Amino acid sequence: MLQFNDIELAAARLQGVAHRTPVLTSRTLDALLGVQVFMKAENLQRMGAFKFRGGYNAVNALSDAQRAHGVVAFSSGNHAQAVALAARLHGCQATIVMPHDAPALKLAATRGYGAEVVIYDRYKEDRAAIAKRLVEERGATLIPPFDYLPVMAGQGTAALELIEDVGTLDALIVCAGGGGFLSGCAVAAKHLLPAIEMFGAEPERGNDMQQSLRAGRIVSIEVPRTICDGQQTQAVGAHPFEVIRAHVTDVLTASDPAVVDAMRFAFERMKVVLEPSGACALAALMVNAERFRGRRVGITLSGGNVGLDRFAALVSGAEKVD
C-alpha cells in the first residue's frame, strides 16, 4: 500500500518544479453552505490540473535508461498533458493514447508538449490494450493514469500542501475518477490528521467508486455519459482501492447540472475557471452541505482545462445538461 514516505519523496522531487497552488476561500460560499471551505486550486497547477504532480513524479522516478526508451500513457486529457509535459522536461519521448472525443483543447496541448498522440474510440476499443502493444513494440515504460504508486504519491502532495497551509480540517473532499488523486490525498491527510474524514466526489452517472466502496469490492460500469470527461472511468484502480477501503468514509456524487452550477458559482463569485471534472468536489459539497455544516472542509478544484466555447456554453445554459 502507498505510504506517507512515498508522498514525502514525491514532494522533494516536485519542489521548485510544480506550483505550490494557492488555497482559495469565499465568505459568500461559507455563508451559503454554513461550512468553512478551503479550496486547493489545482486548476492553477502546471498544465492546468493536479495530474502534473503524479505525471512528473512518475517520469522523474524512472532511470535514465528507462527514459531513453520513452514513456507511454493513456488518458482522456489531463494525465496525457501531464506525462507529455513531464517527458519534455526530462528530454524523453512520450506516446499518449487518447479517445477520439477528448476535448480539442486537451488534444492540442498534449501534442503541443511534443507527445505523439494515438487516437482510439473509447466506446469500442480498449485503451489499456493499445498502450500495452505500444510498450511492447517500443520498449517504453507505461505510466498509467491512476493505478500506479508513483502517480498516486505525486497526487498526494496536493493534500500535504493544503494541510501545511491551513492546518486542521474536519473533512477533505477530493475529485475521483480512477482513484489515484483520492488515494494519494487520503494517505497524506490521514497521516497528518488521523481524525480527518476523507470523501471522494464523482458524477452521478459515473459512480463506480461509490458502488465499489459500499460493496467492498471493485465494481465496473459502462463508460459513463457525463460532461465530466476526466471522470469517465469504468472502475477504480486496484492499488487506489486498497487505500480507499482503508481510509475513505464515503464517495459523494453530483449530477451534471449540479457540476455546472458549481462551475458557474466559481466563475461568477470567485473569478475561477473550472472544467467539469475540476468542479466535481465543489458540486458534491454544495449538494451535501448539510452533512458538513459547521465544519472546516477542504476540497480540491482539480482542473481548469476547458475550452472557451465549451465553458461559455455550459455556464450560460446554451448547452443543456441533464
Coordinates of all heavy atoms in Angstrom, one line a residue, residues 17 36 54 58 68 110 149 200 255 298:
V17 N 9.5 22.6 -9.1 CA 9.0 22.3 -10.4 C 7.5 22.5 -10.5 O 7.0 23.2 -11.4 CB 9.4 20.8 -10.7 CG1 8.9 20.4 -12.2 CG2 10.9 20.6 -10.6
Q36 N -17.0 26.2 6.6 CA -15.8 26.9 6.3 C -15.0 26.1 5.3 O -14.5 25.0 5.6 CB -15.0 27.1 7.6 CG -13.9 28.2 7.4 CD -13.2 28.5 8.7 OE1 -13.5 28.0 9.8 NE2 -12.3 29.5 8.7
G54 N 1.5 13.8 -10.3 CA 1.8 12.4 -10.5 C 2.6 12.1 -11.7 O 3.4 11.2 -11.7
A58 N 6.3 10.3 -11.6 CA 6.5 9.0 -12.2 C 7.6 9.1 -13.2 O 8.4 8.1 -13.3 CB 5.2 8.6 -12.9
A68 N 15.2 6.8 -21.7 CA 15.8 6.8 -23.1 C 14.9 6.0 -24.1 O 14.9 6.3 -25.3 CB 17.2 6.2 -23.1
T110 N -1.6 18.4 -25.5 CA -0.7 17.2 -25.4 C 0.2 17.2 -26.6 O 1.4 16.9 -26.4 CB -1.6 15.9 -25.4 OG1 -2.5 16.0 -24.3 CG2 -0.8 14.7 -25.3
L149 N 1.7 3.4 -8.2 CA 2.1 4.1 -7.0 C 2.9 5.4 -7.1 O 2.6 6.4 -6.4 CB 3.0 3.1 -6.2 CG 2.2 1.9 -5.6 CD1 3.2 1.0 -4.8 CD2 1.1 2.3 -4.7
G200 N -14.6 11.0 -1.5 CA -14.4 11.2 -2.9 C -15.6 11.9 -3.4 O -16.6 12.0 -2.8
S255 N -24.9 15.6 -9.8 CA -25.4 15.5 -11.1 C -24.7 16.4 -12.0 O -24.0 17.4 -11.6 CB -26.9 15.8 -11.1 OG -27.1 17.2 -10.8
G298 N -11.9 20.9 3.5 CA -11.0 21.1 2.3 C -11.6 20.5 1.1 O -12.3 19.4 1.2

